[in-house]
């Protein structure tokens, strides 16, 4: 008999599909601060980004499946990047690595599994849609630390994007290039996956937490259209 209704999703797939449930809610270790980086420009008083250590966490699960095959769990875990628990479906944890699975039979048909993860020290909003923005817009951002957004748009030639007074410029883009700025991975690329960092200068855009001293006003100049932002709001 199942004792707990709690389960979890990996990349949107429920652990129930392989017959496992969780004993306790997920409580990852607090990510220790690694350092704080301050970025300052002539146009801004600067802002701080909070860098923390990745955390290790062991998720204790169980199953009462009589013909339980751990290989199904290994396949379920393979390559997954996002973990959401049923008890907190609005928050996701981002997986860096699966450390391993240790199954043990406890009798009376119950098998316990301890699944080890290395995770990002931050929690992220599950509801993280693309948001269309216009030049001069103010972007609200929840969370407890700066967000590192993904920004997508079409551009030609040289464009300059200013967020919170910080400038980020991209040079010599061919006509109608689809550009993606991924501030979290610190990379810029086009529609074919070609890296464009050698055509850039300035500060990758960050979004300040709403009600902080920054206002998240975004403007741009040059031949740029169709900008959309995935905010990547995060909490420690």
């Amino acid at each position: 008999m199942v004792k707990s209704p709690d389960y979890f999703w990996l990349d949107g797939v429920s652990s129930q599909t392989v017959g496992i449930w969780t004993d306790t809610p997920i409580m990852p270790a607090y990510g220790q601060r690694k350092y704080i980086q301050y970025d300052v420009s002539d146009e801004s008083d600067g802002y701080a980004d909070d860098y923390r250590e990745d955390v290790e966490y062991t998720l204790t699960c169980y199953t009462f499946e009589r013909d339980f095959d751990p290989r199904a769990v290994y396949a379920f875990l393979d390559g997954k990047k996002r973990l959401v628990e049923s008890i907190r479906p609005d928050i996701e944890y981002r997986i860096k690595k699966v450390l391993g699975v240790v199954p043990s039979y406890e009798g009376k048909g119950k098998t316990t599994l301890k699944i080890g993860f290395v995770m990002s020290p931050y929690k992220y909003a599950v509801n993280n849609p693309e948001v269309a923005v216009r030049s001069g817009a103010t972007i609200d951002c929840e969370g407890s630390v700066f967000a590192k957004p993904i920004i997508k748009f079409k551009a030609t030639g040289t464009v300059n994007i200013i967020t919170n007074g910080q400038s980020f410029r991209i040079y010599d883009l061919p006509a109608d290039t689809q550009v993606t700025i991924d501030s979290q991975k610190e990379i810029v690329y086009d529609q074919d996956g070609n890296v464009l960092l050698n055509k850039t200068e300035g500060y990758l855009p960050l979004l300040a937490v709403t009600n902080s001293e920054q206002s998240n006003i975004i403007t741009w100049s040059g031949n740029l259209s169709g900008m959309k932002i995935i905010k990547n709001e995060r909490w420690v």
Side-chain angles (χ1 to χ4, degrees):
M1 181 176 68
V2 175
K3 296 181 181 179
S4 167
D6 297 327
Y7 54 96
F8 60 97
W9 294 275
L10 295 180
D11 290 359
V13 181
S14 170
S15 65
Q16 293 173 310
T17 62
V18 291
I20 60 175
W21 284 260
T22 55
D23 267 336
T24 55
I26 295 170
M27 290 290 291
Y30 183 73
Q32 295 297 314
R33 179 173 286 129
K34 197 171 183 180
Y35 60 89
I36 296 179
Q37 173 176 298
Y38 290 92
D39 291 321
V40 180
S41 73
D42 292 338
E43 298 85 10
S44 172
D45 292 333
Y47 53 82
D49 191 20
D50 195 341
Y51 287 79
R52 294 176 181 268
E53 301 281 359
D54 291 339
V55 296
E56 293 187 9
Y57 179 72
T58 299
L59 180 61
T60 302
C61 307
Y62 65 89
T63 182
F64 284 94
E65 298 285 339
R66 291 186 178 182
D67 299 321
F68 175 70
D69 185 349
R71 290 175 296 183
V73 176
Y74 303 152
F76 171 62
L77 293 169
D78 186 44
K80 299 301 192 298
K81 300 298 183 183
R82 291 174 167 80
L83 186 152
V84 178
E85 56 179 332
S86 61
I87 199 170
R88 188 73 190 278
D90 58 331
I91 292 294
E92 74 176 24
Y93 305 90
R94 296 193 177 173
I95 300 168
K96 299 291 188 73
K97 184 193 302 184
V98 178
L99 295 175
V101 181
V102 180
S104 61
Y105 181 67
E106 296 190 5
K108 296 184 179 181
K110 181 178 180 179
T111 299
T112 296
L113 300 96
K114 294 186 180 295
I115 306 173
F117 296 96
V118 176
M119 297 194 209
S120 164
Y122 306 103
K123 300 182 288 289
Y124 294 84
V126 169
N127 184 22
N128 191 29
E130 287 188 346
V131 179
V133 298
R134 57 175 177 76
S135 185
T138 298
I139 302 169
D140 290 333
C141 183
E142 298 182 3
S144 61
V145 292
F146 275 87
K148 295 186 173 184
I150 296 172
I151 302 176
K152 301 178 181 180
F153 53 85
K154 181 188 291 186
T156 300
T158 296
V159 295
N160 188 40
I161 300 167
I162 299 176
T163 309
N164 290 328
Q166 305 281 354
S167 175
F168 186 72
R169 185 170 296 174
I170 309 175
Y171 296 97
D172 302 328
L173 293 169
D176 296 331
T177 300
Q178 295 285 347
V179 178
T180 298
I181 302 171
D182 190 331
S183 295
Q184 181 163 307
K185 295 181 179 178
E186 298 183 348
I187 193 169
V188 183
Y189 54 92
D190 66 13
Q191 67 272 17
D192 298 317
N194 299 311
V195 177
L196 303 175
L197 285 175
N198 61 334
K199 294 185 174 185
T200 68
E201 69 176 23
Y203 296 85
L204 285 165
L206 298 182
L207 299 177
V209 177
T210 300
N211 296 325
S212 69
E213 294 180 357
Q214 305 287 359
S215 57
N216 289 325
I217 296 175
I218 185 167
T219 61
W220 59 79
S221 60
N223 188 350
L224 185 157
S225 62
M227 180 178 284
K228 295 182 179 180
I229 294 180
I230 300 173
K231 293 188 282 187
N232 282 331
E233 294 162 323
R234 57 186 183 160
W235 293 258
V236 292

